[in-house]
Amino acid sequence: MTAAAEDTVPALATTRRLQALAVMGWPTARLSRETGLVLYRLMPLLTGAAKTTRREDARAVAVVYVRLSTASPGLCGVSHIAARTARERAGAAGWAPPAAWDEDTIDDPSAIPQWTGHCGTVRGAGIHERDGLPLCAPCADALYRRRLRDAAHAARTTTHA
Ligand SMILES: [Zn+2]
């Protein structure tokens, strides 16, 4: 393994952390300043375009996440407008808030954000609906699979009738 490869890690957990902070209302410029990542490194991580990142950048984001995920942007000098802009952009992109993750899941590539406690199931989809949350992708998939099964079942039932 080359030195460069050793210094690179999958970007997923870093992306989850940055997106969760954006959902809270931390603006990109502030995240750049806090993490020390220049925008051309930060942006691909924030949007999920980057599949890998430098290990030191992942560590910097993890340290900043611990601090900012329990802080209030408004109480830390972020303007109301900047926070709202960050929240709206993150919301439109469907990014998951810190509450959807815990210490174990945020670093687990196979984990999905838990908006409902039952995400990835039809029950989870029902909780999204009950609470007025937009469907997350795993719940939308679960609902879609259920509808396909129901349609197949209905088709069989019709054939046998
Ligand atoms: Zn869900």
Side-chain angles (χ1 to χ4, degrees):
M1 198 186 273
T2 67
E6 282 168 15
D7 287 336
T8 300
V9 295
L12 182 60
T14 302
T15 294
R16 287 170 173 174
R17 287 185 169 92
L18 291 171
Q19 291 183 349
L21 292 175
V23 172
M24 290 177 68
W26 293 103
T28 307
R30 181 66 179 265
L31 292 174
S32 172
R33 203 167 84 221
E34 296 280 350
T35 59
L37 269 71
V38 291
L39 282 178
Y40 81 84
R41 281 196 194 283
L42 183 74
M43 286 309 294
L45 290 168
L46 178 65
T47 60
K51 297 307 165 204
T52 60
T53 183
R54 299 187 306 178
R55 187 183 299 276
E56 65 188 272
D57 292 347
R59 199 177 295 131
V61 170
V63 168
V64 167
Y65 180 79
V66 168
R67 191 156 47 82
L68 296 191
S69 64
T70 54
S72 159
L75 295 178
C76 297
V78 175
S79 78
H80 180 71
I81 290 173
R84 194 178 61 198
T85 302
R87 276 199 305 272
E88 284 176 354
R89 193 183 299 152
W95 294 345
W101 300 109
D102 63 36
E103 281 172 48
D104 299 322
T105 59
I106 201 162
D107 286 307
D108 177 359
S110 68
I112 59 172
Q114 281 299 332
W115 300 80
T116 65
H118 298 279
C119 281
T121 68
V122 172
R123 182 176 175 191
I127 297 173
H128 280 278
E129 194 175 339
R130 186 195 69 194
D131 295 348
L133 286 170
L135 272 186
C136 72
C139 285
D141 283 350
L143 209 53
Y144 178 69
R145 286 194 306 273
R146 164 62 65 85
R147 287 190 180 137
L148 283 183
R149 266 202 311 277
D150 288 352
H153 180 73
R156 271 200 310 277
T157 307
T158 307
T159 308
H160 292 305

